[in-house]
Amino acid sequence: MVREILEYPDPRLREVAKPVDEVTDEIRVLAEDMAETMYDAPGCGLAAPQIGVGKRIFVIDTATDDEPSDLRVFINPELLELEGEQTWSEGCLSFPELSEDIDRAEKVKVRALGVDGKPFVLEADGLLAVAIQHENDHLEGVLMIDKVSVLKRKLMQRKMEKRARAGA
Ligand code: NI
């Protein structure tokens, strides 16, 4: 089921998400809904707080249109290692139509649970590493607007307020 995506400045985007106690069928349905919502948007990542669910889950698919889908689900993720630097022009489904250059680590090592409830460790670089860091931030209530200069932040704020007023 496609869920509604919350947009900045919805206060629920600022809440720190809680760990998932157990990977149940309910959690698997949530992950499916999140994937469906992400593909529908379309986007390459979505965190549970973005659909108003305060749980530590995010989904990512960085495959391009001509590649087979590469859906990854991260439950209770932990970033174990960050290395290097890179800058990407990032977007976020909670900031529609906006993108900004954001500095991130070039490589990440992440541990999480999959939908089968089993832990896995993944080392990623490039866009996948960016997406993991971006989505993991959502679980802490941290948004891309926090990562840009004061001037850009004001500009983003103004654009999003205008959008909210227009009832978009
Ligand atoms: Ni985002």
Side-chain angles (χ1 to χ4, degrees):
M1 193 178 69
V2 173
R3 310 272 198 109
E4 189 198 343
I5 299 174
L6 306 182
E7 294 182 5
Y8 180 87
D10 192 301
R12 285 169 287 179
L13 293 169
R14 289 303 192 181
E15 287 168 16
V16 177
K18 295 196 172 65
V20 172
D21 296 328
E22 199 188 337
V23 181
T24 58
D25 284 344
E26 194 190 333
I27 293 296
R28 279 183 277 270
V29 169
L30 171 63
E32 268 174 41
D33 283 359
M34 287 171 60
E36 229 179 292
T37 305
M38 171 180 75
Y39 290 129
D40 179 69
C44 67
L46 184 79
Q50 291 181 277
I51 55 164
V53 176
K55 290 190 193 318
R56 303 189 78 83
I57 305 181
F58 57 75
V59 296
I60 290 176
D61 188 339
T62 54
T64 54
D65 288 345
D66 51 358
E67 289 171 346
S69 77
D70 182 29
L71 179 65
R72 297 165 190 267
V73 179
F74 300 78
I75 301 170
N76 295 345
E78 287 169 84
L79 300 190
L80 304 175
E81 283 169 33
L82 297 164
E83 197 189 309
E85 280 174 44
Q86 62 176 330
T87 306
W88 280 76
S89 176
E90 294 185 22
C92 178
L93 295 176
S94 296
F95 293 85
E97 293 163 33
L98 299 188
S99 59
E100 286 297 337
D101 283 352
I102 294 181
D103 300 330
R104 303 277 186 187
E106 158 65 17
K107 292 180 187 174
V108 298
K109 188 172 175 183
V110 58
R111 179 171 57 211
L113 302 177
V115 282
D116 56 3
K118 294 193 178 122
F120 67 89
V121 173
L122 174 73
E123 288 184 58
D125 58 15
L127 178 58
L128 182 56
V130 167
I132 289 168
Q133 293 169 82
H134 178 116
E135 300 311 330
N136 197 63
D137 274 353
H138 275 296
L139 305 183
E140 300 299 325
V142 173
L143 303 170
M144 59 184 265
I145 197 167
D146 306 326
K147 306 258 174 189
V148 299
S149 68
V150 176
L151 194 69
K152 282 189 176 163
R153 191 172 307 152
K154 285 194 176 141
L155 217 60
M156 287 177 86
Q157 254 161 1
R158 222 174 297 152
K159 283 183 184 164
M160 290 306 295
E161 277 159 17
K162 199 170 160 192
R163 185 182 162 89
R165 272 201 304 276

